[in-house]
Amino acid sequence: MKKGERSKARILEATGHLLARQGYHGTGLAQIVKEADAPRGSLYFHFPGGKEEIAARALVEVGRRTRGELATALEGARSVGDALDALLGYFAEQLRASDFELGCPVATVALEAAATSAPVREAALEVYGAWQELATRFAHGVGLEGDAANDMGLAILSTIEGALLLARVQRSTEPLEASGRVLRKLLGV
Amino acid sequence: MKKGERSKARILEATGHLLARQGYHGTGLAQIVKEADAPRGSLYFHFPGGKEEIAARALVEVGRRTRGELATALEGARSVGDALDALLGYFAEQLRASDFELGCPVATVALEAAATSAPVREAALEVYGAWQELATRFAHGVGLEGDAANDMGLAILSTIEGALLLARVQRSTEPLEASGRVLRKLLGV
DNA sequence: CTCGGAATATGATGATCGTTCTAGCACCGT
DNA sequence: ACGGTGCTAGAACGATCATCATATTCCGAG
């Protein structure tokens, strides 16, 4: 890998880190280059689109990685109930390990920039689309098909996103656990 | 009402408006005094705590008002199914009327500032606590009691919050509607 | 070894951020 | 009408914001 490529990768990783914790407007370019230990002068060389482009690509990257981790966690489950525990447990662990600073790595930026930045909104759309597809596959696992599976996937994703929001505000995993109990009842597992 | 009181009220109302659409760091004090048509010099006279205090009090205010509107919408419902429609319909209308700029008026700021501003986080905590109590009362309406009602209230709130997030990203009320269909099945109404 | 483009360094740009300061206006009870 | 205080006007603070221009270094291909 060439030098430029590594700089780019480090910038995107650091940006994903910072955006998840502080949001879009709360994260400055100066902080990004510092955290990435990257050359300040080459920011606009690698990302001519400026901050919007950096944020959008960082969002896609962190979403792709999260999706991968969730997928492997789901594959390791031996029952639908286990899979649900794996899903919620993954996020609960992230919350605890970060002192409730890290919930959904996309949500904050998505809400901030959905109305003002088309590239960022489209990146969030892509990430949530992929996650929704994962949730719909999960719904297939409990015997749902067609529209019912789509609805269920979207509802599961909504519930988890909302629970992650409330968990950060309450500084507690209780919303995740309560949602887990209700989802388990809903799915009959 | 004295002059100072009216200035304070206008500032809080304008701030609630702006925070809901642009978040905490995306909203500047200059924009607030402009939107409120309020005197810039008296910002720190009325709110010595600065931006944090203004945001926290605006959040509580908008949360209180929203809770009132939701409560009256719920009282007008003649069945549990109607009540659910009223709940989701209220937010769907907000989204449509604002071209999908206005979802949950608290969520963006809550995510941005939960980890960095204690006053803002506590304000969000208070608002969500009141809303959760409303959702739990709703759960009582379908015959649930005790822990089951608490879990259901928290899960309903989580689902709606998540659906509002996804709706803004997708620029569509579909997440709200899908969640509504699933919730109706879950509640058996 | 050399040459040329890729990548980085440095610093300045104007704008806006939140905050604070000092005057001075407006309105109150007396 | 008067004094006093509740409130406002307006500017200035240093800091930081995103962006960009220019100069310099790196590195691989020929």
Side-chain angles (χ1 to χ4, degrees):
Chain A
M1 181 188 289
K2 294 197 178 175
K3 181 167 38 164
E5 296 296 319
R6 273 191 293 125
S7 280
K8 263 169 98 163
R10 279 213 317 282
I11 288 173
L12 289 181
E13 186 186 338
T15 303
H17 222 241
L18 293 168
L19 288 184
R21 285 168 174 75
Q22 326 179 81
Y24 183 80
H25 290 109
T27 302
L29 261 14
Q31 199 182 2
I32 290 178
V33 295
K34 184 173 190 176
E35 168 104 358
D37 199 23
R40 167 156 190 68
S42 55
L43 257 188
Y44 283 80
F45 175 84
H46 292 298
F47 306 97
K51 193 185 186 183
E52 281 189 316
E53 181 183 353
I54 299 177
R57 302 197 32 182
L59 243 48
V60 170
E61 176 60 25
V62 74
R64 199 191 52 75
R65 182 163 48 224
T66 301
R67 195 205 124 100
E69 294 175 11
L70 288 175
T72 62
L74 286 178
E75 285 170 12
R78 301 181 20 252
S79 69
V80 177
D82 275 7
L84 195 59
D85 285 342
L87 212 58
L88 299 172
Y90 171 83
F91 285 113
E93 181 53 31
Q94 298 274 326
L95 283 164
R96 272 188 297 262
S98 66
D99 195 30
F100 296 95
E101 287 191 10
L102 185 56
C104 171
V106 178
T108 311
V109 179
L111 284 175
E112 281 183 281
T116 53
S117 167
V120 171
R121 187 188 137 255
E122 281 155 18
L125 198 57
E126 178 180 335
V127 171
Y128 283 133
W131 292 9
Q132 181 181 343
E133 188 263 350
L134 203 65
T136 300
R137 283 224 314 256
F138 184 87
H140 290 151
V142 295
L144 293 174
E145 300 289 341
D147 287 349
N150 280 330
D151 282 0
M152 183 62 76
L154 202 42
I156 289 175
L157 180 58
S158 295
T159 305
I160 293 178
E161 286 294 326
L164 287 173
L165 156 64
L166 294 175
R168 287 198 60 197
V169 171
Q170 297 186 8
R171 298 182 65 85
S172 158
T173 55
E174 172 66 16
L176 272 178
E177 291 150 11
S179 293
R181 287 190 287 271
V182 171
L183 282 178
R184 189 166 290 113
K185 194 152 289 182
L186 173 60
L187 298 169
V189 295
Chain B
M1 184 189 286
K2 293 196 179 177
K3 180 167 42 165
E5 294 297 319
R6 273 191 290 127
S7 280
K8 263 170 98 163
R10 279 214 318 280
I11 288 173
L12 289 181
E13 186 187 338
T15 303
H17 223 239
L18 293 168
L19 289 183
R21 284 166 175 76
Q22 329 179 54
Y24 184 79
H25 290 110
T27 302
L29 262 9
Q31 198 181 3
I32 290 178
V33 297
K34 185 173 189 177
E35 167 104 359
D37 197 25
R40 170 156 185 72
S42 56
L43 258 189
Y44 284 80
F45 175 84
H46 293 298
F47 307 98
K51 193 185 186 184
E52 280 190 316
E53 181 183 352
I54 299 177
R57 302 198 31 186
L59 243 50
V60 170
E61 177 61 25
V62 75
R64 198 190 53 75
R65 183 163 48 225
T66 301
R67 195 206 124 99
E69 293 176 11
L70 288 175
T72 62
L74 286 179
E75 284 170 11
R78 301 182 20 251
S79 70
V80 177
D82 276 6
L84 196 59
D85 285 341
L87 213 58
L88 299 173
Y90 171 83
F91 286 112
E93 182 52 32
Q94 299 273 326
L95 284 164
R96 272 188 296 262
S98 65
D99 195 31
F100 295 96
E101 287 191 10
L102 184 56
C104 171
V106 177
T108 312
V109 179
L111 284 175
E112 280 183 280
T116 53
S117 167
V120 171
R121 187 188 137 256
E122 282 155 18
L125 198 56
E126 179 180 334
V127 171
Y128 283 132
W131 292 8
Q132 181 181 342
E133 188 262 349
L134 203 65
T136 301
R137 282 223 315 256
F138 185 86
H140 290 151
V142 294
L144 294 173
E145 300 289 341
D147 288 349
N150 280 329
D151 281 1
M152 183 61 77
L154 202 42
I156 290 175
L157 180 58
S158 294
T159 305
I160 294 178
E161 286 294 326
L164 287 173
L165 157 62
L166 294 175
R168 287 199 59 196
V169 171
Q170 297 186 9
R171 297 182 66 83
S172 157
T173 55
E174 172 67 16
L176 273 179
E177 290 150 10
S179 294
R181 287 189 288 270
V182 172
L183 283 177
R184 189 167 288 115
K185 194 152 289 184
L186 172 60
L187 298 169
V189 295

